[in-house]
Amino acid sequence: MSRLDIFIDRMVSQRACLDWAIAETATMPGPVFELGLGNGRTYHHLREKVAGRQILVFERAVASHPDSTPPDADLILGDVRDTLPATLARLGATASLVHADLGGHNLEKNDAFAQLISPLVEPLLAPGGLMVSSDRMYFDRLEELPLPPGAVPGRCFIYRA
Amino acid sequence: MSRLDIFIDRMVSQRACLDWAIAETATMPGPVFELGLGNGRTYHHLREKVAGRQILVFERAVASHPDSTPPDADLILGDVRDTLPATLARLGATASLVHADLGGHNLEKNDAFAQLISPLVEPLLAPGGLMVSSDRMYFDRLEELPLPPGAVPGRCFIYRA
């Protein structure tokens, strides 16, 4: 497989998992969290598909496409090591859906970041809430779910609180 | 459609067009040109799929993934306004396949770049050679071909010399 093949599988799987998870949590009132904005393509997709829920974006510094930049009120700027615990203190276990695309080239770095954020994400999810991630996470109590049709095993992960 | 949907269509179409064009030109001996290296995912794909042909990469400055960096002998560094005419003088009309992913967010800029490079690319192709492009090109004599299965109209273009 070429890096192009792997990348396409990753993007297609991300969309399949997100679309499934958005539908699965559609009746939950709590916010959706996007960890990392990047270029904003996935945020643009969430904004198009998620109805009636706030989408909060966690990012260190905004560098997104103008079409895909969140309003200031939905942007939580800073290091996730600080902003995730601060958000837990403010909102409690209310998130209906959390998405993270750790997505660097460096697999070891991605894995270290997954280990770092797993205990920070876990308490944010409301009961029944879902986490969709580009990488395997390290949760204590969340359950890993089978992937929906169209997603490629190993290219995306879904966990339920 | 979200920007994620459009992006996935573009990447899937790029791969479908390239795979088709590589097979279609497989018996031609001339080199393959990759205009722009970027992260190197598409070069990695070409390297995996193209057999027995040199792959020359045109780039201003290399910033690719280490797995996807061409050897110095296959790298033509500089501005394509200089390097394409210099390559024509050196190799003549010998290219079997030229690929360009202009791929920025800014459609007007992509179109201006397509207009700029079209007359520089056209004379490089051997008779029967193919050009695969992310954007509509401005050729005088090349023929636009129908897309192969799996490619989405408007997300990729193929031209034959």
Side-chain angles (χ1 to χ4, degrees), chain A residues 69-156:
Chain A
T69 301
D72 285 350
D74 294 343
L75 200 52
I76 300 183
L77 284 173
D79 188 311
V80 288
R81 282 171 289 194
D82 304 320
T83 55
L84 289 176
T87 302
L88 178 63
R90 188 161 68 89
L91 301 179
T94 57
S96 55
L97 174 60
V98 177
H99 173 248
D101 183 352
L102 314 182
H105 308 133
N106 186 325
L107 298 183
E108 272 177 47
K109 249 186 172 170
N110 296 352
D111 187 58
F113 194 64
Q115 296 196 41
L116 171 76
I117 65 168
S118 289
L120 305 178
V121 167
E122 186 156 354
L124 286 163
L125 283 164
L130 298 175
M131 161 91 190
V132 171
S133 172
S134 59
D135 289 74
R136 182 174 295 287
M137 302 296 284
Y138 294 84
F139 293 128
D140 284 335
R141 295 176 315 278
L142 304 199
E143 175 198 7
E144 188 176 342
L145 300 185
L147 299 183
V152 179
R155 300 285 166 232
C156 203

Side-chain angles (χ1 to χ4, degrees), chain B:
Chain B
M1 284 196 100
S2 70
R3 289 183 54 232
L4 181 62
D5 292 325
I6 292 170
F7 184 69
I8 288 174
D9 278 355
R10 196 155 68 79
M11 301 306 285
V12 166
S13 301
Q14 181 186 96
R15 180 176 60 181
C17 291
L18 279 176
D19 286 352
W20 180 85
I22 291 165
E24 192 73 7
T25 57
T27 59
M28 296 178 69
V32 174
F33 293 172
E34 169 75 336
L35 305 189
L37 177 62
N39 162 309
R41 276 190 293 257
T42 308
Y43 171 68
H44 192 269
H45 192 75
L46 290 173
R47 218 174 44 185
E48 207 177 90
K49 296 287 179 83
V50 171
R53 286 181 273 176
Q54 191 179 22
I55 304 170
L56 290 174
V57 177
F58 295 74
E59 181 54 90
R60 265 191 299 209
V62 171
S64 50
H65 186 278
D67 281 357
S68 310
T69 301
D72 286 349
D74 294 343
L75 201 51
I76 299 182
L77 285 172
D79 188 311
V80 287
R81 284 172 287 193
D82 304 320
T83 55
L84 289 175
T87 302
L88 179 62
R90 190 162 65 89
L91 301 179
T94 57
S96 55
L97 174 60
V98 178
H99 172 247
D101 182 353
L102 313 182
H105 308 133
N106 185 325
L107 298 183
E108 271 176 51
K109 248 186 173 172
N110 296 352
D111 187 58
F113 194 63
Q115 296 196 42
L116 171 76
I117 66 166
S118 290
L120 305 178
V121 167
E122 186 157 354
L124 286 163
L125 283 164
L130 297 175
M131 161 91 191
V132 171
S133 173
S134 59
D135 289 76
R136 183 174 294 286
M137 303 295 284
Y138 295 85
F139 293 128
D140 285 335
R141 295 176 315 275
L142 305 198
E143 176 199 6
E144 188 176 342
L145 301 185
L147 299 183
V152 179
R155 300 284 167 231
C156 203
F157 298 85
I158 307 180
Y159 300 90
R160 172 136 52 197

